[in-house]
Amino acid sequence: MSLLPLTFLLPLAGTLVLALSRGRLGPRSSAVVGVVSVGLAALVTAWIGWHFVDSGVGGVDMTLWTWLSVGDFRPTIGLRLDGLSLTMIGIITGVGFLIHLFAAWYMQGEAGVTRFFAFMNLFVFSMLLLVLGDNMLLLFLGWEGVGLCSYLLIGYYYWTEANGWAAFKAFIVTRLGDVFLAIGLFLMFRELGTLNIAEILQRAPEVWAEGAWQAQLAALLILGGALGKSAQLPLHTWLADAMAGPTPVSALIHAATMVTAGVYLIARLHGVFELAPGVLYLVGLIGAVTLLLAGFAALAQTDIKRVLAYSTMSQIGYMFLALGVGAYDAAIFHLMMHGFFKALLFLSAGAVIVSCHHEQDMRRLGGLWRRLPLAYAGFVVGGAALAALPLVTAGFYSKDEILWEALAAGHGGLMLAGLIGAFLTSLYTLRLIIGTFHGEMKSDNARHAEPGRGLVHGLPLVVLAVLSTFLGAWIHPPLEAVLPTSPGAGVHGAGHTVLGIVAAATSLVGLGLGAWLFLTRWRWLSERVSTGWAARLWWLWHNAWGFDIAYDRLLVRPYRGLVRLLESDLIDRLLLLAAWLAWGLHRGLSLTQSGKMRYYAATMAAGVTLVLLVLVVSG
Amino acid sequence: MTLLWLILIPFIGGLLCWQGERFGEQAPRWIALGTMLMVLAITLGLWFYGDYHLPSLDPQGEAVRWTMEWQVAWIPRFGISIHLALDGLSLVLIALTGFLGILAVLCSWHEIVHRVGFFHLNLLWILGGVVGVFLAIDLFLFFFFWEMMLVPMYFLIALWGHSGSKGRTRIRAATKFFIYTQASGLLMLVSILGLVFANLAHTGEYSFDYATLMQTPLSDGLAMWLMLGFFIAFAVKLPVVPLHGWLPDAHAQAPTAGSVDLAGILLKTAAYGMLRFALPLFPEASQAFAPVAMGLGLLGIYYGALLACGQQDLKRLIAYTSISHMGFVLIGIYAGTELALQGVVMLMVAHAFSAAGLFIVSGQLYERLHTRDMREMGGLWGRLGSLPGFSLFFVAASLGMPGTANFLGEMMILFGAFPLVPWVVVLASGGLLLAAIYSLLLMQRVHFGPPQGKEHFADLDRREYLMMLTLTGLVLLFGLYPQPLLDTTGAAMLEVQQLFEGVAPLSSLAKGNQ
Amino acid sequence: MSGVPMEHGLVLASILFALGIAGLICRRNMVFVLMSLEIMLNAAALAFIVGGTAWGQPEGQAMFLLVITLAAAEASVGLALLIQLHHRYKTLDVDAANRMHG
């Protein structure tokens, strides 16, 4: 266990080596440093995980040093390893390593490979601290750190102005959530007198009654933070734009790890949410609404990465739904499965994009399945898992569990939303695969696609593909000791079987309908959605229900107006009035200094006369 | 005696620099560097050997307030003496002065080519004046140093500054700076005299001594007026929003070394003045004034941040961010809890580093691009070697990225103030969002976007790289392991907190621990 | 003493003084300005004489001597200025020499 700090120190070392190299490392050695540091971290994690599961202890605490100590305020740099954090660091280093490896292929010939891997390693470091931190302040360190890395990597292709603004938007929107989270921390520290997570979970039920307003407020504020990071309604608008970054970044940060941090946070602080049932229900509700809205939005995208982005939002919606019904382990299980298959989908998308000379618009791809068999296979396996193809895919097991837990907890409405979402998922997945790989090739970029070669390119795809099948679902995260048992645990009635069959049928019907629609009726569909009310609906979905436009009107423009109003520093101008006054008086008086002696003499005479008059009159 | 030397060394060094110019341009630079190294070394020595857990009780049960003290009569007729004293707070700030002094000398190595000797004379005299401000506990002496540091600063801006756009000449900026601070200093002088006469009426003796004046009984109304005199003087220097007008102009027009000193140390003298004088001398009046002060702090946070968002001039942007950060400091000071006060110290140190870093970055950009207008920048990331990486780091520090000292400072202030004034803290947290906006706007406008040319600029040379690396290391060090710093200032801050809350502090009692 | 009452002498002095000041204000030619000044000085001197005579005191006449000396000094400086003015501006207009305006 004493090796635990190595998991994050290795990526940090990678970052430092790359950052301080000052361009002395070539692209190849940079990639080697970046990949090897995360690879070693993955090995250490595997070793730790093996020992941890073997030893059977509930959790290990390790305090490195006291961060600072003023009065009662004593946050530590301390780590906590338990089932939940082990699962998370497993995903982060494992999937992270595969994505780094793939990135070594993806980034060949790009400018600034050193910078890329420095940021990627820094991201892994921050993410590991986020999940390992035993107190909220250290968690917050990781939380902001991943936000910064996300910002930097979205804006990686900085020479295109739009990418910079996309990164800017991602950071600001998540930062808005972070402000809520920070206020939540202030509140919890005032009420509970500690920031240590274990102590918070222990003291919260002692201090707060169930439904106490402080508990509700604290949970609500934490939820605010989670919504921003996990791109849920109403703070979800940044994720689709975040696809401006290189595709491995989208795979690692905006699919597998960082965006699921909100799910982790809520699961970690489940004790607070249990005391606020209303807020917990709100979590589920937001998840359900997001998964539906994002599902519709995914249907109408043409950029393959944007389809995947909306699908990520939708899948995280499932996780929030699971959290909302109290099925924390189901949420984490889906988080893990989603990490596998979404990473696979993004990497396959990356393979397509590089092969097709950075073309990522479905309208200009098509018919690639012969030319790019490996990417095609990745898309099919990942897509099947995403659409929860019954029995053979990992996604089926995790999603089925969530639906069943929702039903078992008595939230039929949420379960129904999940079912509709599953149907939508099947539809947009098939649209994505068929639009990209079938039909005719629609551009020269597609016609001249060059398939990727080599182990670095193939291995991550194959491994992730294997993990996305039912084999991945065999991995059993050791969460029992950490999270409370979920409502549906241990109940294996006929209801579960029936629900399983219904879910499977929904998915299959969706796939069937999708196959029929998109294989045979593609042209009819595209004509249909370009006229009349369908066009308007399509526009709405394409713009993800117009949230961006609404936010622009409601927030960005007033902000711009305010900035423009204040630009010239009005208060300063006001104080400068005194200076202007002095200047004006000066000008007025200096006019009398005409330099003409006759006037001087005249005024002097007048003055003397005046004085004499006054003396005479008053005397 | 050591304390006196701390003040004298920069003054003597300044004179040597001035005359040293006869031996070539490099001589003043090296002399100045040596002088500041000496100041820093002495301070670090004091830090290492001194005991900063004061005020504590010595074996005889007497309260010991200061770690070091030195006194000699100056104008005995009016009870004025040269009375210097050192505790944890002043030590930390003097160490900061020494360090930033070194940086200021280093960053003007190539920037200043005219009248090098006289430049370093002014630079070192500013620093000497600042050290004097941090050490003096005779109010007259304090006022003397307070006014004294203005004059060389005026020359620094007026003679070596950059002229900005129309109507924003360096002379005007220097004059504005001088008039603002001079006028507010006058108010402080009136308050000091008022306090002295109140004490005279009470005891029948003239005294400008800190400890004596602290015992002066004052009526509520008088205390409030005198406190306001001090507060306004410090508020101009901090700066607090309606009185901030001099800062953006002075920063934008000052040479890099001037900006570094201004943001890094001169602003801190104001916070130091509040902690050392405004609060302890008038605890009840300050307590009553606290809501207003915190309101002004909030105004400062938002006003500074929004204005920073609208600037096109890089240095003006950074200047406005200082206003925003100092809003947090003001809230922390008037919240007055131990955690918040320690946070204030932390944020002062952190802001000194990060603002100095940003100003040095903008100075280096100016040396390469010969402009500070962000509309003429953009896409510089790949064209400047390792400079953008460092800008990124200091930008992250200024937006309060965890791991940097700025984060700890802001968080400690907010955590410390929340139990007292939750709504103020909630509103202040909104400033964190604006901080992200202006910081990233800086990145976006300077380093992102389409490059406006193909050629590469010179990478950082060894001197520049070392400066930036040291600053980076310090920001991270205090962000991850701030305990040595907090231990040093802990006792002094506890004293302020107890005074502020009306608990009799240890130093005024010779009985058991409170 | 003689039958001229003091009031008459003083009125004459006042008239002379008023004439002088009017000349000083209205004339632009420096020669006339200087002449007006002389008139004013003499008006003041006359007032001294009248006063001294009226009260039978010698100081009045002493002051008159002083005023004459002063007038001589003034005239010499004034004439020197006049020459300089003519030399620099090629005119005797005093308003031309207004370079000290604010």
Side-chain angles (χ1 to χ4, degrees):
Chain A
M1 289 306 124
S2 55
L3 288 182
L4 190 55
L6 269 188
T7 48
F8 59 82
L9 287 181
L10 282 166
L12 180 65
T15 306
L16 288 179
V17 168
L18 293 170
L20 298 179
S21 69
R22 303 191 72 190
R24 281 191 289 266
L25 285 177
R28 272 193 93 81
S29 8
S30 299
V32 168
V33 171
V35 175
V36 166
S37 63
V38 179
L40 287 177
L43 283 181
V44 172
T45 307
W47 194 84
I48 288 173
W50 185 57
H51 276 265
F52 180 80
V53 175
D54 209 35
S55 67
V57 291
V60 181
D61 286 302
M62 181 186 270
T63 301
L64 298 181
W65 69 84
T66 304
W67 197 346
L68 70 147
S69 154
V70 177
D72 303 333
F73 191 70
R74 286 199 196 85
T76 57
I77 305 279
L79 313 175
R80 161 111 187 142
L81 184 70
D82 56 15
L84 181 56
S85 48
L86 181 67
T87 310
M88 292 303 290
I89 63 172
I91 299 170
I92 296 161
T93 55
V95 177
F97 167 66
L98 292 173
I99 293 173
H100 272 73
L101 197 62
F102 185 82
W105 172 80
Y106 186 90
M107 300 304 291
Q108 278 170 354
E110 297 263 4
V113 177
T114 314
R115 181 163 58 98
F116 177 82
F117 279 104
F119 293 160
M120 287 288 267
N121 279 4
L122 187 64
F123 170 79
V124 173
F125 162 77
S126 315
M127 191 70 205
L128 287 170
L129 272 187
L130 195 169
V131 297
L132 281 174
D134 75 344
N135 66 79
M136 292 305 289
L137 209 61
L138 189 59
L139 184 148
F140 197 69
L141 190 157
W143 189 267
E144 293 286 301
V146 292
L148 181 70
C149 295
S150 155
Y151 165 79
L152 291 169
L153 286 165
I154 295 169
Y156 176 77
Y157 299 119
Y158 62 85
W159 45 85
T160 309
E161 181 131 17
N163 294 351
W165 289 117
F168 183 82
K169 181 174 166 187
F171 193 88
I172 299 302
V173 174
T174 50
R175 179 87 171 181
L176 181 61
D178 299 350
V179 169
F180 288 116
L181 179 59
I183 298 172
L185 297 194
F186 305 148
L187 183 68
M188 284 200 289
F189 181 69
R190 186 182 78 170
E191 297 286 320
L192 305 175
T194 180
L195 285 175
N196 185 292
I197 293 171
E199 287 174 23
I200 288 176
L201 293 183
Q202 186 203 338
R203 279 190 209 167
E206 295 167 9
V207 178
W208 291 329
E210 184 168 328
W213 70 266
Q214 293 98 330
Q216 303 263 19
L217 191 59
L220 206 58
L221 289 167
I222 296 166
L223 175 62
L227 292 182
K229 213 50 135 194
S230 290
Q232 299 292 292
L233 234 55
L235 299 178
H236 63 289
T237 53
W238 62 272
L239 187 62
D241 292 338
M243 294 301 123
T247 312
V249 171
S250 313
L252 180 61
I253 301 183
H254 306 116
T257 53
M258 186 191 85
V259 284
T260 56
V263 180
Y264 166 80
L265 180 70
I266 294 177
R268 189 45 106 188
L269 291 173
H270 57 85
V272 178
F273 282 85
E274 295 286 309
L275 293 172
V279 179
L280 193 60
Y281 182 69
L282 184 65
V283 173
L285 202 62
I286 288 176
V289 174
T290 309
L291 82 87
L292 286 177
L293 293 189
F296 281 114
L299 265 179
Q301 303 303 317
T302 53
D303 183 322
I304 53 178
K305 285 182 72 179
R306 283 179 89 89
V307 177
L308 291 176
Y310 283 109
S311 123
T312 303
M313 274 181 227
S314 172
Q315 295 302 308
I316 296 172
Y318 274 104
M319 297 173 210
F320 269 65
L321 196 158
L323 294 170
V325 301
Y328 304 102
D329 49 354
I332 298 297
F333 186 55
H334 190 55
L335 187 162
M336 186 160 84
M337 295 308 122
H338 175 254
F340 295 150
F341 66 70
K342 192 50 69 63
L344 173 64
L345 280 170
F346 265 115
L347 292 192
S348 308
V352 170
I353 290 167
V354 168
S355 300
C356 297
H357 315 282
H358 289 272
E359 180 55 72
Q360 55 190 63
D361 193 327
M362 259 193 265
R363 288 169 300 187
R364 286 194 287 275
L365 292 170
L368 291 168
W369 69 278
R370 259 181 228 283
R371 281 191 161 274
L372 306 173
L374 189 61
Y376 181 55
F379 258 96
V380 168
V381 175
L386 177 62
L389 194 69
L391 299 178
V392 293
T393 62
F396 171 71
Y397 295 98
S398 59
K399 218 178 263 184
D400 176 54
E401 199 182 332
I402 292 177
L403 296 177
W404 164 237
E405 297 285 2
L407 191 64
H411 293 303
L414 297 183
M415 195 274 300
L416 199 65
L419 270 182
I420 300 172
F423 179 72
L424 286 173
T425 311
S426 305
L427 276 184
Y428 68 67
T429 308
L430 265 185
R431 179 170 171 273
L432 171 66
I433 294 177
I434 291 170
T436 312
F437 289 98
H438 292 272
E440 62 200 64
M441 297 181 181
K442 284 166 239 162
S443 72
D444 281 345
N445 281 337
R447 273 185 280 278
H448 298 126
E450 295 160 17
R453 289 197 181 78
L455 194 65
V456 178
H457 167 248
L459 185 71
L461 292 179
V462 172
V463 174
L464 285 172
V466 170
L467 287 172
S468 302
T469 63
F470 63 96
L471 295 171
W474 283 355
I475 301 176
H476 180 71
L479 298 170
E480 292 82 1
V482 193
L483 299 172
T485 44
S486 48
V491 189
H492 286 291
H496 196 174
T497 322
V498 171
L499 182 67
I501 292 169
V502 171
T506 316
S507 156
L508 285 175
V509 168
L511 287 174
L513 182 68
W516 174 71
L517 264 180
F518 300 123
L519 275 177
T520 63
R521 298 284 160 129
W522 186 281
R523 193 173 299 266
W524 172 80
L525 259 183
S526 357
E527 280 161 15
R528 187 75 194 79
V529 298
S530 52
T531 53
W533 61 268
R536 249 170 272 154
L537 193 63
W538 197 254
W539 179 87
L540 199 60
W541 289 356
H542 187 72
N543 290 295
W545 303 93
F547 276 95
D548 269 330
I549 299 161
Y551 286 172
D552 185 57
R553 296 261 161 82
L554 290 176
L555 299 172
V556 180
R557 284 193 195 171
Y559 154 79
R560 288 227 178 100
L562 199 59
V563 168
R564 197 160 304 142
L565 183 75
L566 292 176
E567 202 168 22
S568 53
D569 204 343
L570 285 178
I571 295 182
D572 183 34
R573 287 284 160 91
L574 221 58
L575 281 193
L576 277 183
L577 276 184
W580 285 116
L581 194 69
W583 183 245
L585 286 177
H586 156 76
R587 291 303 295 265
L589 282 177
S590 67
L591 274 184
T592 62
Q593 297 289 309
S594 59
K596 293 183 180 165
M597 283 223 299
R598 299 182 300 122
Y599 291 99
Y600 297 174
T603 38
M604 209 161 85
V608 169
T609 318
L610 200 71
V611 169
L612 283 176
L613 261 179
V614 167
L615 282 179
V616 167
V617 170
S618 65
Chain B
M1 210 46 199
T2 323
L3 299 184
L4 187 65
W5 278 113
L6 270 180
I7 301 176
L8 284 182
I9 288 172
F11 283 105
I12 297 171
L15 289 174
L16 287 179
C17 288
W18 182 37
Q19 290 306 317
E21 201 178 354
R22 294 160 198 268
F23 304 104
E25 259 192 6
Q26 290 297 342
R29 296 185 178 127
W30 285 107
I31 296 172
L33 190 61
T35 312
M36 288 327 292
L37 277 173
M38 206 172 350
V39 171
L40 185 64
I42 293 175
T43 323
L44 292 181
L46 288 175
W47 197 336
F48 197 67
Y49 289 111
D51 174 15
Y52 296 96
H53 294 90
L54 303 170
S56 63
L57 303 174
D58 68 3
Q60 283 79 44
E62 294 285 314
V64 181
R65 174 72 180 82
W66 308 101
T67 306
M68 281 184 106
E69 208 174 342
W70 189 81
Q71 187 167 16
V72 66
W74 184 12
I75 311 177
R77 179 200 291 202
F78 296 119
I80 297 171
S81 62
I82 298 182
H83 191 178
L84 308 174
L86 182 81
D87 67 354
L89 177 64
S90 25
L91 178 86
V92 166
L93 291 171
I94 293 171
L96 200 62
T97 311
F99 177 73
L100 288 184
I102 295 173
L103 280 188
V105 174
L106 282 177
C107 72
S108 35
W109 208 268
H110 290 312
E111 186 185 327
I112 304 299
V113 285
H114 302 297
R115 284 179 286 191
V116 184
F118 191 48
F119 174 82
H120 285 94
L121 171 86
N122 283 307
L123 190 61
L124 290 184
W125 280 27
I126 297 173
L127 296 170
V130 171
V131 173
V133 162
F134 289 145
L135 283 178
I137 56 165
D138 183 282
L139 263 69
F140 189 81
L141 190 66
F142 174 76
F143 179 75
F144 171 76
F145 282 123
W146 181 266
E147 295 289 305
M148 225 223 71
M149 61 189 183
L150 303 184
V151 181
M153 193 71 213
Y154 173 83
F155 284 123
L156 211 61
I157 299 172
L159 295 181
W160 292 274
H162 314 283
S163 275
S165 49
K166 61 179 163 53
R168 282 182 178 153
T169 61
R170 54 180 199 240
I171 308 283
R172 250 194 93 183
T175 314
K176 203 170 168 185
F177 162 75
F178 196 81
I179 289 176
Y180 262 88
T181 36
Q182 188 75 5
S184 63
L186 198 64
L187 285 179
M188 180 163 74
L189 182 65
V190 170
S191 276
I192 291 176
L193 292 179
L195 191 60
V196 167
F197 284 123
N199 186 55
L200 178 72
H202 183 245
T203 62
E205 281 178 18
Y206 283 107
S207 172
F208 281 80
D209 195 64
Y210 180 60
T212 316
L213 293 177
M214 245 158 82
Q215 311 298 332
T216 311
L218 295 168
S219 68
D220 285 354
L222 182 62
M224 182 56 91
W225 282 110
L226 295 181
M227 194 277 299
L228 277 179
F230 276 91
F231 178 79
I232 291 176
F234 298 139
V236 165
K237 204 60 162 281
L238 192 59
V240 174
V241 152
L243 306 171
H244 65 285
W246 61 274
L247 183 93
D249 288 343
H251 267 311
Q253 261 66 265
T256 309
S259 300
V260 168
D261 279 355
L262 211 52
I265 331 173
L266 256 64
L267 303 191
K268 273 66 194 180
T269 58
Y272 170 84
M274 287 185 186
L275 288 172
R276 175 74 80 219
F277 296 105
L279 257 61
L281 289 175
F282 316 99
E284 292 90 8
S286 302
Q287 190 73 266
F289 186 66
V292 181
M294 284 195 242
L296 288 174
L298 274 182
L299 181 66
I301 292 175
Y302 279 94
Y303 191 75
L306 281 173
L307 272 162
C309 294
Q311 299 305 314
Q312 300 296 346
D313 182 322
L314 185 54
K315 284 180 89 175
R316 283 183 84 82
L317 193 159
I318 305 170
Y320 279 111
T321 69
S322 290
I323 297 176
S324 186
H325 285 130
M326 290 303 124
F328 281 98
V329 167
L330 195 63
I331 289 178
I333 291 175
Y334 279 88
T337 63
E338 193 195 354
L339 185 56
L341 288 172
Q342 287 281 52
V344 166
V345 175
M346 195 73 216
L347 188 55
M348 283 201 285
V349 173
H351 177 261
F353 289 147
S354 68
L358 280 174
F359 277 120
I360 295 176
V361 163
S362 62
Q364 290 170 347
L365 276 174
Y366 187 81
E367 278 179 34
R368 287 164 175 77
L369 297 163
H370 306 291
T371 179
R372 294 191 317 264
D373 192 333
M374 289 194 284
R375 282 166 295 199
E376 294 170 28
M377 299 183 187
L380 291 174
W381 190 294
R383 300 167 64 199
L384 280 167
S386 38
L387 186 55
F390 284 116
S391 341
L392 171 70
F393 178 81
F394 292 113
V395 159
S398 104
L399 71 78
M401 185 54 57
T404 62
N406 303 57
F407 167 74
L408 281 191
E410 280 169 14
M411 281 292 146
M412 284 164 76
I413 289 173
L414 296 177
F415 268 109
F418 189 76
L420 287 178
V421 280
W423 283 110
V424 171
V425 170
V426 167
L427 290 174
S429 307
L432 299 177
L433 182 69
L434 287 174
I437 295 182
Y438 62 65
S439 304
L440 296 188
L441 272 180
L442 193 163
M443 277 315 278
Q444 174 75 18
R445 290 188 186 150
V446 176
H447 293 302
F448 289 1
Q452 305 199 348
K454 282 263 182 279
E455 79 279 19
H456 282 252
F457 298 99
D459 197 354
L460 300 181
D461 61 25
R462 190 172 300 166
R463 169 185 62 93
E464 294 169 320
Y465 192 69
L466 211 64
M467 274 188 334
M468 304 314 282
L469 207 60
T470 318
L471 269 177
T472 311
L474 281 171
V475 170
L476 284 177
L477 176 71
F478 287 123
L480 293 173
Y481 187 59
Q483 204 56 40
L485 179 76
L486 295 176
D487 285 342
T488 310
T489 58
M493 288 299 108
L494 198 63
E495 169 99 2
V496 175
Q497 182 237 337
Q498 286 169 341
L499 276 169
F500 188 57
E501 287 184 357
V503 185
L506 195 52
S507 64
S508 67
L509 292 174
K511 294 175 202 147
N513 204 332
Q514 290 293 305
Chain C
M1 275 291 294
S2 64
V4 182
M6 189 169 78
E7 287 76 14
H8 291 196
L10 285 183
V11 165
L12 179 60
S14 306
I15 291 171
L16 274 178
F17 192 84
L19 281 174
I21 211 164
L24 183 75
I25 292 171
C26 299
R27 300 309 293 246
R28 294 202 295 190
N29 190 316
M30 193 162 170
V31 179
F32 287 96
V33 170
L34 284 176
M35 281 171 65
S36 303
L37 268 176
E38 293 295 323
I39 290 172
M40 283 163 72
L41 277 172
N42 282 309
L46 181 63
F48 276 120
I49 296 280
V50 170
T53 317
W55 288 303
Q57 299 289 338
E59 283 93 336
Q61 294 173 23
M63 285 306 288
F64 182 72
L65 288 177
L66 205 67
V67 168
I68 288 178
T69 333
L70 185 75
E74 183 262 351
S76 63
V77 172
L79 287 172
L81 282 175
L82 183 136
I83 292 166
Q84 281 298 318
L85 185 74
H86 188 256
H87 182 66
R88 301 215 170 184
Y89 295 96
K90 306 290 175 221
T91 174
L92 288 179
D93 185 353
V94 281
D95 285 356
N98 67 344
R99 282 180 44 192
M100 275 178 73
H101 65 84

